[in-house]
Amino acid sequence: MTRISESTVRRLSHYYRVLEEVAAEGKRMISSHLLAEREGITSAQVRKDLSYFGSFGRRGLGYNVEHLRDEIRAILGLERRWRVAVVGAGHIGSALLAYRGFSEQGFDVVAVYDTDPERVGRDQGGLTVRHASQLSAKDGFEIGVIATPVRAAQDVADALVAAGARGILNFAPRKLRVPAGVALRTVDMTMEFESLSFALTQPRATRRRRARE
Amino acid sequence: MTRISESTVRRLSHYYRVLEEVAAEGKRMISSHLLAEREGITSAQVRKDLSYFGSFGRRGLGYNVEHLRDEIRAILGLERRWRVAVVGAGHIGSALLAYRGFSEQGFDVVAVYDTDPERVGRDQGGLTVRHASQLSAKDGFEIGVIATPVRAAQDVADALVAAGARGILNFAPRKLRVPAGVALRTVDMTMEFESLSFALTQPRATRRRRARE
DNA sequence: TTTTGTGAACGTGTTCACAGCG
DNA sequence: CGCTGTGAACACGTTCACAAAA
């Protein structure tokens, strides 16, 4: 199988969302052109992305909405539910716990940790905050979220890996090291702000997003 | 001037952070090799990134830490302060307002808006939440943050642009349309979770991050 | 005729490798 | 000799363009 690029995976998420909407509207078929709609995706890109995984469409007709949605759900691994541990019960941690969207998509937060004695023992979104030293494989989570201050981030990552995490979502503005076999994604808001600052400062140097077809 | 890729800008942010740390430690010079350190950046990449903007190093010696830091600060547009308006005083909005790191980097939140009557009029991080219909150019912000539910996101984007925003950071999981000349960055946490789900489901299909040199 | 699926062409970002300079 | 700066080579993602199928 050809290796799949991160951009393709992100676009699959996008297609999935569009397909869910379109299915809710009761539409039966959809063309690659309509799936592409918006921001820098061409219909050729859609067909190429999908072709890495199979032939889901019918020439002359397009794709069956529900069928394609189910295929993409399977490809993205969303047929099962994922158990998530959140470390850091501060603002970002609480925001994540409060957001219902994740459980709708199949991500269940099963444990919350912190080191602040003020927070340990308290209730957060239906879960009791536990001390980070309690982090262990017994909780049976696959995904760990790091929502701690920067200085703790690497230690937390190590602890999450030791406790069996196979994927980590990091909100701390620092590059983390994880062993091969552990997937890491970093959301760095500082970087996003700085990227905007750059774009506003040097408008002619900033590459514009590709035009839609 | 050559157009600068988004990846180069993100790496500049990274270099900047490393340089701040290293300067705090009192180190005078740093090599591209040391700047590269960690996750998938090679020393050649560092030199290439910097070469788009000038020749900041000295052959045989490396880069002067403080000088390079100042150059990158200027390149990223961080010599000035930016005024930010946050729309949506829910969990994500409050998390942003509470995070001190942004003001340290030169981003000042000068206004907070919401539509929920429960929230309008309340205090949020030293600012009074105002009704979103009050959004106007008088506030004099350059950057708008969208931290609202999905359904409101496009309208808020339009309102922000009308009120003079030149850059938008969007946390709603939807692609937004903005006019040319307005910079848009989207942080889509759902997509990050789904990307992790994919990586855990199809480990052999996921391209690994490039190894460090 | 419409729209998919895909090899080939293209463009862009990354890495190589070495000349140039300290 | 050490390390930068950079053209050239390379790798990879995107777009083109068309044969195939409905």
Side-chain angles (χ1 to χ4, degrees), chain A residues 1-6 9-14 16-17 21 37-39 41 53 74-78 80 82 84 91-92 94-96 98-99 101-102 105 107 142-145 150 154 166-169 171 173-209 212, chain B residues 1-6 9-14 16-17 21 37-39 41 53 74-78 80 82 84 91-92 94-96 98-99 101-102 105 107 142-145 150 154 166-169 171 173-209 212:
Chain A
M1 181 194 259
T2 315
R3 291 289 141 115
I4 304 304
S5 74
E6 183 63 24
V9 177
R10 301 182 71 79
R11 284 192 298 267
L12 287 176
S13 278
H14 171 69
Y16 183 61
R17 210 168 288 154
E21 283 180 29
E37 233 185 17
R38 295 164 185 266
E39 206 202 349
I41 305 180
F53 301 95
I75 291 166
L76 289 176
L78 300 175
R80 52 163 290 176
W82 295 95
V84 179
H91 290 97
I92 300 179
S94 326
L96 285 170
Y99 183 49
F102 297 127
Q105 292 303 319
F107 298 88
E142 296 92 17
I143 295 176
V145 175
V150 198
Q154 182 63 60
R166 293 173 50 222
I168 291 181
L169 182 54
F171 286 91
R174 161 154 308 167
K175 302 285 181 186
L176 300 179
R177 284 173 196 275
V178 292
V182 175
L184 173 70
R185 299 288 178 276
T186 299
V187 174
D188 188 333
M189 300 184 203
T190 307
M191 220 171 244
E192 302 296 338
F193 274 103
E194 290 179 358
S195 159
L196 279 175
S197 168
F198 176 83
L200 301 193
T201 306
Q202 322 224 3
R204 334 202 87 246
T206 304
R207 201 182 295 291
R208 271 210 60 81
R209 295 291 192 278
R212 77 199 65 89
Chain B
M1 180 195 262
T2 315
R3 291 290 141 113
I4 303 304
S5 74
E6 183 64 23
V9 177
R10 300 182 71 79
R11 284 191 298 267
L12 287 176
S13 278
H14 171 69
Y16 183 62
R17 208 166 293 154
E21 283 180 28
E37 233 185 19
R38 296 165 185 266
E39 205 201 350
I41 305 181
F53 302 95
I75 291 165
L76 288 176
L78 301 175
R80 52 163 291 177
W82 296 95
V84 178
H91 289 97
I92 299 179
S94 325
L96 285 169
Y99 183 49
F102 297 128
Q105 293 301 319
F107 298 88
E142 297 92 16
I143 295 176
V145 174
V150 197
Q154 183 62 60
R166 294 171 52 223
I168 291 181
L169 182 54
F171 285 91
R174 163 155 306 169
K175 303 285 181 188
L176 300 180
R177 284 173 194 275
V178 292
V182 175
L184 174 68
R185 298 288 179 278
T186 300
V187 174
D188 188 333
M189 300 186 205
T190 307
M191 220 169 244
E192 302 296 338
F193 274 103
E194 290 178 358
S195 158
L196 278 176
S197 167
F198 176 83
L200 300 194
T201 306
Q202 321 224 2
R204 335 202 87 246
T206 303
R207 201 181 295 290
R208 268 206 68 77
R209 296 288 192 278
R212 76 197 68 86

Side-chain angles (χ1 to χ4, degrees), chain A residues 66-85:
Chain A
E66 297 201 343
H67 176 241
L68 184 57
R69 179 200 58 192
D70 293 346
E71 290 283 358
I72 295 183
R73 172 154 45 206
I75 291 166
L76 289 176
L78 300 175
E79 282 179 320
R80 52 163 290 176
R81 300 193 71 81
W82 295 95
R83 294 161 65 91
V84 179

